């Protein structure tokens, strides 16, 4: 798919709510410990969205920062791509809410539901919209509020504002979901993209979906039951994601290296030519294995999972913003983005900055 590209990142932003919660904080509400979490995932802390706040609220400061960085006003935006798996409401999506908060009334706002692989799909959609002339200035946002599916209600104990101990049944329930609960954190990232010149943009892309593995990571509740939120759904915790972590891990380390090789081939570059691999941050060990399989130096695969955990759709724009603001990213560099998430959706994109 080597072709002329419309995609140039001209601004980025990020927002992390509140204070970080450490692994030690989590160990107050379930049977886990810092050593296990760090060794198996690389995560040391994460942020949680406060109650009553939705992803459109998290996205707003990130979007404003990205627009300011790009030197663009909200009135310049002519398309919004909103990526989340934890929307403010079951429907409509969070794109319309962000558009209203930004003052982009009348601007098309498309919600994408490709979970942790979101940015791969959004980049492809944005590139196509720019090339077709359907849009000139696109705001891409990823935002997540996973706190709503955390398997405990003792937020005061977690926060250390209460000396109480969890009831044994609350402790046991949170512990049953501990493999999932330690992974996720909340936040938002945004980027503004426009048509590039001088041979920049998306040089090669590779995206896939394999619905045979939907059961590996999903929230079981939905519109298959009547009513879709029932006593049974709540009692059986069907609104908390179920995850077969080992299978997801194996899928990621098998498919992502293949995807990166394909994207590089389509871009007409070697894996060794890439300056940065900006990877989704689901588990540090996944990125280490992918890197080893591609024979890439560790310093080319930046990591921020220790500070934020897995922020799903928000991860790549948050990391991108950190790298842009601290000067690691420079005009003309070759960046390979890569991600995999529930669906299973996955892919990679080779982009010239
Ligand atoms: N704290 C302490 N012990 C825990 C724990 C926790 N938070 N979570 C699980 N354990 C225990 C298990 O109960 C199990 O104990 P047992 O051997 O006595 O039965 C043991 O640790 C191993 O559990 P397992 O689930 O096999 O661990 P793992 O090495 O596969 O690590 C994940 C679990 C979730 C960290 C890992 O599978 C993973 O990251 N997978 C990918 C998930 C992912 O990327 N999801 C998002 C996609 S975007």
């Amino acid at each position: 798919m080597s072709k002329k590209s419309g995609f140039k990142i001209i601004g980025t932003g990020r927002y992390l709510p509140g204070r970080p919660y450490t692994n030690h904080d989590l160990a107050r509400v379930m049977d886990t410990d810092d050593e296990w979490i760090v060794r198996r995932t690389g995560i040391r802390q994460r942020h949680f969205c406060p109650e009553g706040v939705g992803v459109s609220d998290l996205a707003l400061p990130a979007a404003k920062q990205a627009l300011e960085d790009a030197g663009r006003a909200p009135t310049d935006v002519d398309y919004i791509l909103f990526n989340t798996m934890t929307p403010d409401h079951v429907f409509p999506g969070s794109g319309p809410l962000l558009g209203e908060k930004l003052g982009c009334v009348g601007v098309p706002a498309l919600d994408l539901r490709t979970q942790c692989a979101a940015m791969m799909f959004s980049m492809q959609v944005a590139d196509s919209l720019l090339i077709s002339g359907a849009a000139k200035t696109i705001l891409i946002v990823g935002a997540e509020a996973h706190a709503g599916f955390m398997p405990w209600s003792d937020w005061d104990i977690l926060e250390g504002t209460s000396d109480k101990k969890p009831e044994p049944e609350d402790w046991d329930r949170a512990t049953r979901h501990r493999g999932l609960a330690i992974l996720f954190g909340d936040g938002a990232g945004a980027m503004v993209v426009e048509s590039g010149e001088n041979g920049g943009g998306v040089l090669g892309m590779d995206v896939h979906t394999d619905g045979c593995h939907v059961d590996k990571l999903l929230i079981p509740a939905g519109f298959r039951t009547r009513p879709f939120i029932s006593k049974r759904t709540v009692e059986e915790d069907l609104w908390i994601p179920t995850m077969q972590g080992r299978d997801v891990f194996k899928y990621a380390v098998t498919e992502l290296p293949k995807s990166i090789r394909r994207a590089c081939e389509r871009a007409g570059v070697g894996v060794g030519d890439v300056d940065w691999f900006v990877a989704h941050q689901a588990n540090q060990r996944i990125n280490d294995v992918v890197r080893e399989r591609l024979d890439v130096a560790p310093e080319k695969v930046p990591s921020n999972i220790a500070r934020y955990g897995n922020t799903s759709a928000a991860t790549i724009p948050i990391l991108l913003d950190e790298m842009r603001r601290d000067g690691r990213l420079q005009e003309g560099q070759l960046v390979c983005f890569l991600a995999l998430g529930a669906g299973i959706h996955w892919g990679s994109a080779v982009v010239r900055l």
Side-chain angles (χ1 to χ4, degrees), residues 218-288:
L218 87 164
I219 290 186
F223 287 88
R224 297 157 80 103
T225 52
R226 298 178 199 170
F228 72 95
I229 295 179
S230 61
K231 204 158 164 262
R232 183 178 77 86
T233 324
V234 174
E235 279 171 1
E236 295 180 14
D237 281 346
L238 299 181
W239 51 275
I240 297 177
T242 59
M243 182 178 74
Q244 295 172 34
R246 288 197 163 208
D247 291 343
V248 177
F249 193 106
K250 279 188 215 147
Y251 207 92
V253 298
T254 307
E255 293 304 329
L256 285 171
K258 290 195 248 169
S259 174
I260 292 163
R261 286 203 180 90
R262 279 193 295 263
C264 285
E265 202 180 307
R266 286 168 190 165
V269 302
V271 173
D273 298 328
V274 174
D275 294 297
W276 298 107
F277 292 83
V278 177
H280 177 57
Q281 311 275 305
N283 183 325
Q284 185 59 43
R285 289 189 298 134
I286 291 180
N287 290 349
D288 290 344

Side-chain angles (χ1 to χ4, degrees), residues 33 62 110 195 209 222 237 333:
D33 60 87
L110 175 63
S195 285
T209 300
D237 281 346
Q333 286 178 336

Side-chain angles (χ1 to χ4, degrees), residues 192-210:
V192 179
V193 298
E194 290 186 352
S195 285
E197 288 163 12
N198 308 326
V202 179
L203 306 184
M205 185 132 223
D206 179 72
V207 290
H208 300 275
T209 300
D210 183 350

Side-chain angles (χ1 to χ4, degrees), residues 32 36 40 116 178-179 182 243 245-246 282-283 285-286 340:
T32 189
W36 191 98
R40 300 280 180 130
C116 299
R178 64 185 173 176
I182 50 125
M243 182 178 74
R246 288 197 163 208
N283 183 325
R285 289 189 298 134
I286 291 180
L340 176 139

Side-chain angles (χ1 to χ4, degrees), residues 201-205 263-264 267 269 274 334-337 348-352:
V202 179
L203 306 184
M205 185 132 223
C264 285
V269 302
V274 174
L334 204 52
V335 178
C336 179
F337 296 93
S348 50
V350 175
V351 174
R352 176 77 68 193

